[in-house]
Amino acid sequence: LSVTLGVVFLFYHLVLRKLTFYNWNRWYLLGYTMMSFFIPFVNISNVNEKYEWGSSEAVTWVPAIGQAVLPVNSVAQNGISFTVWQWVMLLTLSGMFILLIRLLLQFISYRRLLKKATPVSSGEINFYEVKENIIPFSFGDSIFINRALHTETELQEIIRHEIVHVRQKHSRDIIWGEVLCIVNWFNPFAWLIRKAIQQNLEFIADKNVLDNKYNKKEYQYLLLKVI
């Protein structure tokens, strides 16, 4: 899984990132990262036997999942002891648990903000007014803004940007990026893919605004002001 995610990111970074096919890049990042979870379950025993990979040092180093389980008799006679791979498994699960708690806390923080926000309009897309000094954002079918921080013209383009995120269900991509980092938190490529997913979604929304003939330089200044 870790190696496959590395290949997915490197191909994106070296080949696809500079291209402007942002929607295709979106489906590449989603589709191939999901496929990475199935590749480890492909049975290569026949190929292994045919080419005699079993005697290879690299292959024998990779542990089978069953090797991480202690025999019952060993535990009973010698007390609790851990192999190196069991410590690795314990560390891996601990990291996954911590990041899962972090994600839950972020969701709780979002729910609290939602309760404090003032509904402006509802329907296919819900708009909320937030009195705090926030960067405009969207999640699910909701958009959160502080109208006092922006002019009417700026608000139009900000809302147009966020509507793209809502209508194209970009929140699902964001959640998937978080899942990748939870499951494969020790792999730097998982974090790089998460960042690439988020960045590419912003490119999609920005392109949609600019396709509506908004001045590119003014839009750049607007992004700087929002940040």
Side-chain angles (χ1 to χ4, degrees), residues 134-171:
I134 66 163
I135 294 177
F137 75 96
S138 60
F139 186 78
D141 59 357
S142 301
I143 295 175
F144 299 82
I145 54 175
N146 184 341
R147 290 183 292 183
L149 300 178
H150 310 283
T151 66
E152 184 177 347
T153 303
E154 290 172 349
L155 282 173
Q156 290 177 359
E157 304 311 321
I158 289 171
I159 290 172
R160 194 192 305 275
H161 176 104
E162 297 302 334
I163 283 176
V164 177
H165 288 315
V166 172
R167 287 184 173 166
Q168 295 192 13
K169 312 294 183 185
H170 289 176
S171 297

Side-chain angles (χ1 to χ4, degrees), residues 67-85:
Q67 291 176 355
V69 181
L70 274 175
V72 176
N73 292 335
S74 174
V75 175
Q77 294 175 4
N78 303 323
I80 298 176
S81 60
F82 292 94
T83 64
V84 172
W85 286 111

Side-chain angles (χ1 to χ4, degrees), residues 181-199:
C181 290
I182 290 174
V183 174
N184 213 217
W185 62 266
F186 49 86
N187 181 8
F189 289 114
W191 296 92
L192 291 171
I193 288 174
R194 171 176 170 264
K195 182 179 180 181
I197 289 174
Q198 294 173 349
Q199 190 178 57

Side-chain angles (χ1 to χ4, degrees), residues 92 95-97 99-100 103 177-185:
T92 302
M96 292 169 64
F97 179 75
L99 288 179
L100 180 60
L103 182 61
E178 296 294 336
V179 170
L180 276 180
C181 290
I182 290 174
V183 174
N184 213 217
W185 62 266

Side-chain angles (χ1 to χ4, degrees), residues 205-223:
D206 290 339
K207 186 175 187 300
N208 184 272
V209 173
L210 295 176
D211 285 346
N212 282 276
K213 310 303 180 184
Y214 192 74
N215 183 276
K216 185 178 292 186
K217 185 172 290 290
E218 290 182 9
Y219 188 64
Q220 289 174 330
Y221 284 129
L222 174 59
L223 292 177

Side-chain angles (χ1 to χ4, degrees), residues 7-21 25 28:
V7 172
V8 169
F9 173 78
L10 289 174
F11 183 79
Y12 170 78
H13 184 75
L14 298 175
V15 180
L16 302 179
R17 183 175 61 93
K18 296 181 180 180
L19 304 179
T20 57
F21 304 117
N25 287 350
Y28 167 82

Side-chain angles (χ1 to χ4, degrees), residues 49-62:
E49 294 174 0
K50 180 178 179 180
Y51 294 98
E52 298 181 349
W53 288 349
S55 57
S56 168
E57 183 177 349
V59 173
T60 55
W61 181 84
V62 179

